[in-house]
Amino acid sequence: MATLNEWIAGSRPRTLPVAVAPVAAGTGAAYALGDGNPAHALLALLVSLLLQIGVNFANDYSDGIRGTDDARVGPVRLVGQGLATPASVKSAAFACFAAAAVCGLALVALSGTWWLLVAGALAIVAAWKYTGGEHPYGYMGLGEVFVFVFFGLVATLGTTYTQAGSVDLSAVAAAVGIGAIACAILVVNNLRDIPGDTVSGKRTLAVRIGDAATRKLFTGMFAVALVAVVVSAVQHPWAIIALIGLALSARSVRTVNQGATGRDLIPPLATTGVTILAYGVLFGIGLLLSS
């Protein structure tokens, strides 16, 4: 029986900045459009956090029963380390998805954006299918696509739309930048796991393109995030302060490009999580100040 601390560790709290950043940036974009709503922002944050935790438990369950986590470097794996039964971890994942669905339903009801129920349903299905089911797309090198679309575009623009009823170029730029850094987190995570994933047959994008190209891709994601800030700053000059958050990535980029492997890639992974949080919050503040 896993302890409370092990369950908390198994939820992978260090990944939660990925859920906070798009809501912060999207809310700032809504205020820039003249119609921010704190209550709607809070509901969007709950949806995002619950989906992220649900994804983490779902990945723990699916990777654990497949044996992918048997010899992996990184955070606690509840199933892989035998700390909790697969059934209990699966139940935790679906409980999070159900709670996210309830919060999402409340959000679309209050905002009148009923069509977003489709996006929410797709997000939950995609969260499970990442490593779950007979043909998980995370095992086919498509994980970054899921992260960019749902934790970048959908989370950021959905937050903006449920408050302002529209989006603009700055909102889209923020969504692209957030999505790119979220992808960078997955890229460096999968870079670390190339040896184990290769043996277990998990064909992530990192496994498919190889070590050297994965390191270049990691750097490229931050370049995309930089361009996104510049594009947004043309319309809303204060958005430029997001570059302060992006500057936190410098050490991670250097470490990755110097050839770090295994446990030496854990600090860049953690730092990239801090980077996306700072980037998203500062992007949102910048857009708010420009409103």
Side-chain angles (χ1 to χ4, degrees):
M1 179 76 69
T3 66
L4 176 59
N5 285 338
E6 287 170 338
W7 274 105
I8 292 173
S11 72
R12 305 181 194 179
R14 288 187 178 182
T15 66
L16 297 186
V18 176
V20 176
V23 177
T27 298
Y31 275 101
L33 286 165
D35 201 9
N37 186 310
H40 292 187
L42 178 59
L43 282 170
L45 179 61
L46 289 173
V47 172
S48 191
L49 287 169
L50 287 165
L51 282 177
Q52 180 63 57
I53 296 171
V55 167
N56 292 340
F57 282 138
N59 291 349
D60 191 303
Y61 165 77
S62 297
D63 284 343
I65 63 172
R66 286 187 168 90
T68 309
D69 281 345
D70 289 350
R72 177 158 297 182
V73 175
V76 167
R77 263 73 174 192
L78 294 168
V79 176
Q81 295 175 224
L83 299 173
T85 64
S88 64
V89 176
K90 183 179 181 181
S91 295
F94 277 92
C96 289
F97 293 151
V102 171
C103 292
L105 180 60
L107 178 58
V108 299
L110 290 172
S111 62
T113 54
W114 291 100
W115 64 273
L116 282 177
L117 285 176
V118 176
L122 288 175
I124 291 174
V125 172
W128 174 251
K129 290 290 187 180
Y130 175 51
T131 55
E134 294 184 3
H135 304 288
Y137 60 87
Y139 281 58
M140 297 185 288
L142 298 175
E144 284 77 6
V145 175
F146 161 74
V147 168
F148 182 79
V149 171
F150 289 101
F151 283 96
L153 303 183
V154 173
T156 307
L157 297 178
T159 297
T160 302
Y161 196 83
T162 54
Q163 294 179 55
S166 63
V167 298
D168 62 1
L169 179 60
S170 287
V172 173
V176 169
I178 294 291
I181 304 178
C183 283
I185 293 174
L186 182 58
V187 168
V188 72
N189 180 78
N190 290 343
L191 172 65
R192 180 197 63 196
D193 293 339
I194 284 178
D197 287 342
T198 301
V199 172
S200 65
K202 186 175 183 180
R203 301 281 291 170
T204 63
L205 182 61
V207 171
R208 287 179 177 274
I209 67 177
D211 184 283
T214 301
R215 295 177 193 276
K216 292 178 182 177
L217 179 61
F218 179 73
T219 302
M221 291 298 98
F222 294 108
V224 171
L226 187 153
V227 172
V229 174
V230 173
V231 169
S232 183
V234 172
Q235 182 180 10
H236 299 293
W238 275 105
I240 202 71
I241 65 174
L243 293 181
I244 298 173
L246 191 60
L248 298 175
S249 67
R251 179 175 294 182
S252 297
V253 170
R254 183 168 59 252
T255 299
V256 169
N257 284 310
Q258 286 176 343
T261 60
R263 291 190 177 278
D264 290 337
L265 286 170
I266 294 177
L269 180 59
T271 302
T272 305
V274 174
T275 299
I276 194 172
L277 179 61
Y279 180 87
V281 169
L282 288 173
F283 213 140
I285 292 173
L287 293 173
L288 173 62
L289 292 174
S290 298
S291 62

